[in-house]
Amino acid sequence: MEKKVSKRIVLIAGGSGLIGQEVQKELKKSGHEVRILTRQENPEAPYFHWDPKNKEIDRAAIKGVQVIINLVGVGIADKRWSDKRKEAIFNSRIKPTQFLHEISQNTPALVQYISASGITCYGYEDPIKIYKESDDFGTDFLSTVVRRWEEVADLFSPQQKVVKVRTGVVLTEKGGALPKISGTIKNYIGAPLGSGEQKMPWITLKDIARIYVHAVNSQLDGVFNASSANISNEKLTKAVASYLKKPLWLPNVPGFVLKTVLGEMSSLVLEGVRIDNSKILNTGFEFQHKTIDEALDYIYVQKEKD
């Protein structure tokens, strides 16, 4: 017998992004009421104005809210990491979370806070190790950002259940890593990066949205790795090329070239980490896309039928 899900009023910060839009869709399919915070002036419901920098929010947005999902944060791979960009990566995650905690003091119905997080928290010190949620944080820039991000999320505890979703690389043709990979392949300039052996924990856009909904439906509490599987950069590149029926003519792109072009941000593509996803599976969650072939088939074909 299918478990009955209690309808919740869910407020999403960052709901207009790729993940946010998919989360909205999946929440509504489960019967939840969804409200979305936006920086736009005078929006119409279900959108509500907020300005976390100036600590402004439409109070109607938080009335009766039972779950807050926070997906706010500038893209870590959108621009080269200048000091200004690194400050933006940090502040765009920490300050809105602090403001959400402040307003939560006036939301007596709130029972759960769900925060985006990243598998970059583990660092890249040990490419062989398979990291579990109980493992230590790394010491690099992104590990430090995630550590502080999760610490601020924990302000909601113990008053509310706190879920931290440590997300792998999200595969979708709508944005992120996959269009960059497929674009070079389509133009016959695709190639594995660096050694090609670095691991990339991946998840489809559909499945990451389903994890957020599962967290709401099951009222989860705790930190969870969100990744379907680990794949090497070389195997992913070859899988995409095979699916697109395009050859890979060029040798691997040397690491020093990427370090010259990307600077410190090159660690995102040249370093890898392997993670364990057994904790989320043990809550009863099932991935729809367990293999890279299933993922690519969905992304390029099945999503049009979804």
Side-chain angles (χ1 to χ4, degrees), residues 40-293:
Q40 295 179 0
E41 297 288 345
N42 303 313
E44 295 184 358
Y47 291 87
F48 296 86
H49 174 73
W50 82 320
D51 182 350
K53 183 178 181 180
N54 294 309
K55 296 190 174 182
E56 299 174 355
I57 191 168
D58 182 344
R59 292 291 166 175
I62 63 174
K63 185 177 180 180
V65 162
Q66 296 160 294
V67 179
I68 294 176
I69 296 178
N70 184 6
L71 305 172
V72 173
V74 301
I76 61 174
D78 293 350
K79 295 181 181 179
R80 189 183 173 103
W81 290 352
S82 63
D83 288 343
K84 183 177 180 180
R85 185 61 179 179
K86 290 169 77 171
E87 183 179 9
I89 290 171
F90 184 88
N91 288 337
S92 66
R93 287 160 172 77
I94 307 307
K95 292 187 175 181
T97 304
Q98 291 171 328
F99 180 51
L100 286 171
H101 179 254
E102 288 179 25
I103 66 174
S104 75
Q105 306 308 301
N106 298 311
T107 53
L110 187 66
V111 296
Q112 187 183 38
Y113 175 79
I114 305 175
S115 175
S117 185
I119 52 92
T120 51
C121 64
Y122 302 112
Y124 304 112
E125 285 87 352
D126 190 345
I128 304 301
K129 181 181 177 70
I130 300 176
Y131 286 88
K132 295 185 176 183
E133 291 85 349
S134 57
D135 285 314
D136 291 337
F137 287 86
T139 57
D140 60 292
F141 166 64
L142 287 181
S143 299
T144 303
V145 170
V146 176
R147 178 195 292 269
R148 181 57 182 148
W149 196 8
E150 292 193 359
E151 286 174 350
V152 178
D154 283 333
L155 292 173
F156 287 83
S157 178
Q159 289 77 17
Q160 290 86 32
K161 293 179 178 179
V162 176
V163 180
K164 291 163 282 190
V165 183
R166 292 179 177 170
T167 310
V169 175
V170 177
L171 296 183
T172 170
E173 265 292 88
K174 298 176 182 177
L178 188 57
K180 296 174 183 177
I181 295 171
S182 61
T184 58
I185 291 171
K186 289 175 183 177
N187 289 309
Y188 300 97
I189 54 173
L193 305 179
S195 69
E197 296 178 0
Q198 63 273 28
K199 299 297 183 181
M200 186 186 81
W202 62 268
I203 185 170
T204 60
L205 180 61
K206 176 81 168 181
D207 273 340
I208 188 61
R210 291 179 59 249
I211 283 181
Y212 278 94
V213 178
H214 175 68
V216 175
N217 291 348
S218 300
Q219 282 295 286
L220 298 184
D221 190 12
V223 57
F224 298 91
N225 288 334
S227 170
S228 298
N230 303 292
I231 191 171
S232 71
N233 174 269
E234 182 174 10
K235 286 184 178 179
L236 175 63
T237 304
K238 289 181 177 179
V240 175
S242 177
Y243 203 91
L244 296 175
K245 295 181 172 56
K246 299 288 184 180
L248 293 175
W249 300 111
L250 301 176
N252 291 25
V253 180
F256 75 86
V257 172
L258 292 166
K259 289 179 180 179
T260 300
V261 174
L262 300 176
E264 186 180 356
M265 193 174 74
S266 63
S267 62
L268 291 175
V269 294
L270 291 177
E271 304 289 346
V273 62
R274 298 197 299 171
I275 67 167
D276 178 275
N277 64 5
S278 59
K279 186 177 179 182
I280 190 67
L281 291 173
N282 289 338
T283 68
F285 181 80
E286 293 184 10
F287 290 94
Q288 285 190 359
H289 312 120
K290 301 180 181 68
T291 69
I292 198 64
D293 287 337

